[in-house]
Amino acid sequence: MNKKSLLYSGIIILLVLIGAVLWLNNDISKKQEESIGGIVSKNFVEMSDENPTFDEWGKNFPDYLDMYLTVEREKPMETDFGGNLSYSKLIRYPQLTILWAGYPFSIDANEERGHFWVQVDQMDTARNNKDFLNSHGFAGFGGQPTACMNCHSGWSPWLIKNTQGNNEKEKWIAFNSTKYWTMIKNIPAVNGYQEGSLEHSGPHGGKRMGITCADCHTPNNMSLRLTRPAAINALIARGYEKDEEQGVKATREEMRTLVCSQCHVEYYFRPTGEKIKVMGESIANDSTKKWWNGTQKTYDEFDSWRDGNKPTQIEVDGLELVFPWSEWKKGQAFRIEMFDDYYDKIRTIFDKDWAHKLSGAPMIKIQHPESELYSGGVHAANGVSCADCHMPYIRKGAKKMTQHNVTSPLQNINAACKTCHTQSEEYLKAQIKDIQNSIAHDLRTAEYAIVSLIKDIQVIREYLSVMPEYQTDNKADVNKINNTLKEVLELHRKAQMRADFIGAENSTGFHNPREASRMLLQAVDMARMGQTKLVEIANANGIKDFKTSNLTFEDIQKFNPGDIRYKVDLNGHKAGERYYKHDNINGNPSQHLLDMDKNLKPYNYQNIDK
């Protein structure tokens, strides 16, 4: 081969090597981009808390965004004790209408649909509709405060920052104390949306946006952080140390649980005892604007400023969102008695969420205490975080990613469970089903016992109300009757706290079956003890024909309220019209679920264990 041929061959080989190196570099860069969610430099956006929307942040992480939005696109489906089909829990579990009597949940409580929908559902629920509730037997309901938005809107940190106040504490209190429908009008238009447009009112970065990337991640490096002051305050009360960037000092593995504990908890609205200045609405000065009963409107139940309505300044009673955790110290497993101790200690400040309409007991409504129950379970003891099971690592090509369609581990047992468990998927599913069926049986037993107690308290109240010694000026004296029933009412309060805890907690006891069973056994014991006390009261007052109740599944079904409908003509709607526009909201659960519930209490093993 001559020198010229060698030169040409060398040049060709060099070009091939350069091409191979460039291809390899591109392939490595592509895989690196994929491994962190698909960042593409030409589409890179500067992430900021000034625009916390997942549509914006998702431009840098398109694969994560696609996973998160799965629940928006997929057909709603139910599971035995969950799913994302938003059927009416009151239809499936009619006992709740009695347990929550006098509280807005007794009118509207649906199965949850997932993080994407939380703000949509919060804005649509009848529980956020003052006019509807006032016209349906809740004349004293003044409308929800913005405190309810803390766990529903990814805009909450921005709104807190931009609420009036001289410091963080003042802004925090003012945010919580403002009316919900007033605060939501202030969400800015971003992502090219026009103020007041359908997009600005929508779930993609608008006023109906639910949980977003910024709620759990810092914009500069995507590390985990806490963004909700109530969670930070509660963790500090438990013994954690404050951290300016991530909220509290904790390891990354701890943060994979703590970010969920910003919302999956029990909470209440603590009165501050002071009057504060907050944003109001000029509609309160427009004498032509009336509520359904003819009284003056104080705010507009709409998400934008309209018809000349403008922000004003008003004075209101201060409220603060608080987690009742000071009795639950860092490193401890949670026990329900910690709530007993906490709420008993603060009775002079906050004595109840509501007075039960039928029994008169001062009630505490438990919310969704997944963090508390999980803390004492076997998974927590072995260092398993919330994200390990509900956001397991998955593979997508070269990528190792956390699953951001936050859902039940049952949807992907291989990724969520089998990284630790060696048994088959069928075996693991059967174990989970057995645990949940067992806890569901215990829960129904407790709920039916408490409803029986409530009905018996009603009967004794009626007897006592006509006795002269329980009257003042020939009328029933509620205080005298309550004093006689005081011990029974406390048993009702604490029994229902326990049943409500397991009912509101979204794992049907799976996060800690032993503690769930212990709570529910206490609930049954307290309810039956309350009935025993009523027999003693009846005997002491010469009531001869009183007999305690023992309601069954068939008895409970008589309380089925059906779907929500207007009882009066209201705001352009006719009496009898369905409240929800969409059929898949507040509808009937499947016959399969109703049949399963019937077989769970009493426990029909021949059907349940198939």
Side-chain angles (χ1 to χ4, degrees):
M1 182 180 290
N2 58 38
K3 292 182 178 180
K4 185 177 288 187
S5 297
L6 285 172
L7 179 61
Y8 287 148
S9 297
I11 292 172
I12 291 171
I13 292 170
L14 180 61
L15 290 173
V16 170
L17 288 173
I18 291 172
V21 169
L22 291 174
W23 175 85
L24 181 62
N25 181 66
N26 180 69
D27 187 62
I28 291 172
S29 298
K30 183 178 180 181
K31 284 181 168 57
Q32 287 176 332
E33 291 168 358
E34 288 177 344
S35 70
I36 56 173
I39 287 183
V40 181
S41 57
K42 65 180 181 180
N43 292 326
F44 182 80
V45 299
E46 191 71 33
M47 296 178 297
S48 165
D49 286 330
E50 291 304 304
N51 183 351
T53 66
F54 52 73
D55 274 6
E56 181 72 1
W57 287 41
K59 291 175 181 177
N60 292 343
F61 302 95
D63 289 313
Y64 286 104
L65 178 62
D66 183 66
M67 285 189 285
Y68 177 74
L69 295 178
T70 300
V71 71
E72 179 188 21
R73 302 185 299 263
E74 67 186 358
K75 181 180 179 180
M77 55 171 282
E78 64 182 24
T79 63
D80 285 355
F81 301 106
N84 63 340
L85 177 62
S86 194
Y87 60 77
S88 169
K89 287 186 176 181
L90 303 180
I91 295 176
R92 183 177 181 184
Y93 307 122
Q95 63 270 23
L96 298 177
T97 63
I98 305 301
L99 294 171
W100 295 333
Y103 201 60
F105 273 86
S106 65
I107 283 185
D108 191 7
N110 301 314
E111 181 62 37
E112 299 83 4
R113 295 198 288 169
H115 290 170
F116 175 84
W117 296 109
V118 291
Q119 178 71 343
V120 172
D121 291 345
Q122 174 67 11
M123 291 173 68
D124 288 349
T125 178
R127 299 194 307 272
N128 199 9
N129 190 325
K130 171 181 164 67
D131 239 4
F132 183 89
L133 289 178
N134 287 178
S135 63
H136 286 68
F138 291 83
F141 178 71
Q144 288 189 345
T146 304
C148 295
M149 197 187 295
N150 273 282
C151 291
H152 290 268
S153 175
W155 279 106
S156 291
W158 186 94
L159 290 168
I160 294 169
K161 177 183 175 182
N162 288 278
T163 296
Q164 63 189 50
N166 296 316
N167 51 54
E168 288 185 4
K169 180 69 173 180
E170 287 186 10
K171 290 173 180 285
W172 168 237
I173 298 298
F175 170 80
N176 286 288
S177 308
T178 304
K179 286 299 182 186
Y180 193 104
W181 287 104
T182 302
M183 183 59 69
I184 208 165
K185 293 176 172 65
N186 300 297
I187 290 175
V190 294
N191 302 343
Y193 300 154
Q194 296 298 313
E195 189 80 27
S197 65
L198 288 176
E199 293 81 7
H200 186 207
S201 290
H204 283 270
K207 296 174 181 180
R208 284 169 169 76
M209 182 182 73
I211 306 305
T212 187
C213 318
D215 291 323
C216 304
H217 294 282
T218 56
N220 58 335
N221 60 17
M222 295 303 287
S223 61
L224 294 175
R225 63 171 176 175
L226 303 178
T227 57
R228 299 304 195 266
I232 296 169
N233 295 340
L235 289 167
I236 291 172
R238 289 188 60 202
Y240 285 81
E241 185 180 348
K242 186 175 177 61
D243 182 88
E244 289 303 321
E245 179 157 322
Q246 66 179 34
V248 297
K249 293 187 183 300
T251 66
R252 183 177 184 276
E253 192 60 26
E254 287 177 306
M255 291 297 289
R256 282 164 59 84
T257 286
L258 293 181
V259 291
C260 304
S261 296
Q262 296 185 99
C263 294
H264 289 269
V265 296
E266 156 65 350
Y267 62 85
Y268 73 105
F269 301 153
R270 182 188 183 105
T272 64
E274 298 177 349
K275 293 284 187 181
I276 62 165
K277 288 182 169 56
V278 300
M279 181 179 291
E281 301 186 26
S282 63
I283 196 172
N285 301 318
D286 185 346
S287 61
T288 67
K289 305 295 185 181
K290 306 290 185 182
W291 295 117
W292 74 278
N293 60 2
T295 58
Q296 177 64 48
K297 271 201 170 186
T298 50
Y299 60 91
D300 187 12
E301 290 184 314
F302 193 72
D303 64 14
S304 298
W305 300 103
R306 61 177 181 177
D307 301 334
N309 188 27
K310 298 177 181 178
T312 60
Q313 189 178 76
I314 59 175
E315 191 173 70
V316 301
D317 295 323
L319 288 177
E320 181 178 10
L321 174 68
V322 174
F323 301 172
W325 283 2
S326 60
E327 303 301 311
W328 176 30
K329 303 305 181 185
K330 182 181 180 182
Q332 286 183 324
F334 173 82
R335 299 294 185 189
I336 189 63
E337 290 82 1
M338 294 173 181
F339 278 174
D340 289 337
D341 291 345
Y342 180 93
Y343 281 118
D344 284 346
K345 286 180 179 179
I346 65 161
R347 281 211 175 182
T348 57
I349 300 171
F350 180 85
D351 64 332
K352 60 184 179 296
D353 280 310
W354 92 103
H356 198 277
K357 183 179 179 180
L358 304 178
S359 77
M363 304 302 293
I364 297 295
K365 174 71 183 75
I366 304 295
Q367 316 303 329
H368 23 63
E370 285 81 43
S371 296
E372 292 91 336
L373 188 65
Y374 151 87
S375 70
V378 65
H379 289 91
N382 285 279
V384 180
S385 71
C386 301
D388 288 326
C389 300
H390 293 276
M391 304 176 68
Y393 288 111
I394 61 172
R395 283 283 178 185
K396 187 175 180 182
K399 308 168 223 179
K400 180 184 178 183
M401 308 170 65
T402 50
Q403 172 59 271
H404 273 60
N405 178 24
V406 187
T407 186
S408 167
L410 287 169
Q411 302 290 3
N412 190 346
I413 282 189
N414 187 56
C417 305
K418 286 178 67 63
T419 52
C420 297
H421 297 277
T422 59
Q423 299 94 335
S424 69
E425 287 195 27
E426 291 71 23
Y427 175 87
L428 294 171
K429 284 183 179 179
Q431 290 297 300
I432 295 167
K433 181 178 177 63
D434 185 62
I435 289 170
Q436 291 188 315
N437 282 343
S438 177
I439 298 300
H441 166 269
D442 294 348
L443 177 56
R444 300 291 91 79
T445 302
E447 289 174 334
Y448 293 2
I450 297 167
V451 172
S452 298
L453 171 62
I454 292 169
K455 290 297 181 181
D456 291 347
I457 293 173
Q458 279 188 280
V459 171
I460 291 297
R461 277 190 171 280
E462 291 173 4
Y463 274 115
L464 298 180
S465 67
V466 297
M467 295 180 178
E469 57 268 40
Y470 291 99
Q471 293 183 337
T472 299
D473 297 329
N474 296 319
K475 293 181 180 179
D477 190 316
V478 174
N479 290 331
K480 289 181 180 179
I481 295 172
N482 284 349
N483 188 55
T484 296
L485 296 175
K486 183 176 181 179
E487 191 173 356
V488 177
L489 299 184
E490 280 298 295
L491 287 166
H492 174 201
R493 170 186 168 104
K494 292 186 175 178
Q496 189 162 321
M497 276 179 64
R498 286 153 172 76
D500 204 22
F501 186 106
I502 302 304
E505 202 276 337
N506 281 302
S507 73
T508 314
F510 180 79
H511 286 145
N512 190 347
R514 290 176 298 178
E515 181 67 6
S517 294
R518 191 181 75 86
M519 285 189 208
L520 294 173
L521 181 59
Q522 285 186 350
V524 174
D525 190 36
M526 290 172 173
R528 297 310 185 194
M529 193 183 303
Q531 289 181 298
T532 300
K533 296 290 182 183
L534 288 176
V535 171
E536 295 174 359
I537 292 170
N539 290 337
N541 286 275
I543 302 170
K544 302 297 184 183
D545 55 349
F546 172 71
K547 294 182 179 180
T548 57
S549 305
N550 187 25
L551 275 67
T552 65
F553 178 86
E554 287 71 22
D555 297 322
I556 293 294
Q557 294 308 301
K558 297 173 184 176
F559 304 130
N560 184 344
D563 58 3
I564 307 174
R565 295 182 180 272
Y566 288 88
K567 294 181 179 179
V568 297
D569 293 349
L570 181 68
N571 296 333
H573 300 279
K574 295 293 184 182
E577 184 180 333
R578 197 171 187 274
Y579 178 81
Y580 282 98
K581 297 176 183 177
H582 305 292
D583 292 338
N584 65 335
I585 307 293
N586 194 240
N588 290 307
S590 71
Q591 191 60 45
H592 160 74
L593 295 182
L594 298 176
D595 289 342
M596 183 184 72
D597 293 341
K598 183 177 181 179
N599 286 314
L600 276 171
K601 181 67 177 83
Y603 200 99
N604 183 346
Y605 72 91
Q606 292 177 327
N607 285 311
I608 293 299
D609 292 345
K610 282 183 179 178

